[in-house]
Amino acid sequence: MDRKITYKLVFIGAPGSGKSTCIGAVSDIPVVSTDVACTDGLASIKETTTVALDYGEMSLGDGERLLLYGLPGQSRFTFMFDTVAENLAGVVMLIDASSAAPLEGLEETLRTYAGRIGETPFVAAINKVQGNVDALREQVAETLRRHGLVGPVIVVDARRREDMALIFDLVFLCAEYSDV
């Protein structure tokens, strides 16, 4: 019997970091979204927010699939990670470079998902970049190190399918090396 492989990838990050956009850029199916109107402090920066998860799928060829999950950025929804964690290939941690405090968003993400991120290959992806990002990239890497994490820190445009393909390649490469 020819059994096809299904992989899972989770997108995490502060509200507005681009998780839904990433999934929408690469999903081969219409994205399942649980966005609702913001009713808290987030309303000043965005109209809607994810309250359960975003879901999409991407064909990898030969019948293999990549299941894509975007998890809410608020800590009260942390339990959603446990819902999708089984057989997880990797985590994409998004950082919003256009935010007034991108490192605070990263710190909140790291606190929210403490103990979960280090167990799975991950890529830190800086999104919404305007101008030179070298200093932010180094600050992100240093923040990860302070939390005992080491992984690739890259710059992406979440709207570009090519950038998402780079993320997937890095996650799978990290997974290969973590098995060595």
Side-chain angles (χ1 to χ4, degrees):
M1 182 166 100
D2 187 23
R3 187 167 177 215
K4 301 302 177 187
I5 299 174
T6 299
Y7 302 96
K8 294 188 330 190
L9 193 63
V10 165
F11 293 84
I12 60 173
S17 59
K19 301 174 295 284
S20 299
T21 302
C22 285
I23 293 172
V26 297
S27 182
D28 295 330
I29 65 168
V31 175
V32 176
S33 173
T34 59
D35 282 3
V36 299
C38 289
T39 58
D40 57 10
L42 286 178
S44 65
I45 61 170
K46 57 189 280 192
E47 292 181 20
T48 62
T49 190
T50 303
V51 294
L53 56 81
D54 289 323
Y55 174 80
E57 293 182 11
M58 183 178 175
S59 172
L60 299 175
D62 294 330
E64 295 181 352
R65 297 180 311 149
L66 180 62
L67 308 182
L68 309 163
Y69 298 94
L71 302 185
Q74 301 92 328
S75 61
R76 67 183 179 264
F77 297 113
T78 305
F79 68 92
M80 292 304 300
F81 192 99
D82 298 329
T83 303
V84 299
E86 187 176 342
N87 299 320
L88 189 60
V91 173
V92 178
M93 192 178 340
L94 286 158
I95 298 99
D96 178 0
S98 70
S99 165
L103 294 175
E104 286 179 25
L106 173 59
E107 288 281 358
E108 178 63 25
T109 299
L110 293 170
R111 282 189 299 275
T112 297
Y113 295 102
R116 292 176 173 94
I117 297 170
E119 299 171 355
T120 307
F122 76 91
V123 171
I126 303 172
N127 187 31
K128 300 183 183 180
V129 172
Q130 300 169 357
N132 190 330
V133 72
D134 292 340
L136 178 58
R137 184 183 301 161
E138 183 51 42
Q139 292 168 333
V140 167
E142 178 56 34
T143 300
L144 293 172
R145 283 190 291 272
R146 277 197 322 275
H147 285 266
L149 300 169
V150 177
V153 178
I154 63 171
V155 176
V156 300
D157 181 337
R159 301 166 297 183
R160 290 177 31 96
R161 190 174 180 95
E162 299 82 11
D163 287 7
M164 296 304 98
L166 173 62
I167 287 174
F168 302 153
D169 288 345
L170 284 171
V171 166
F172 290 119
L173 186 61
C174 289
E176 277 183 36
Y177 281 102
S178 68
D179 290 341
V180 175

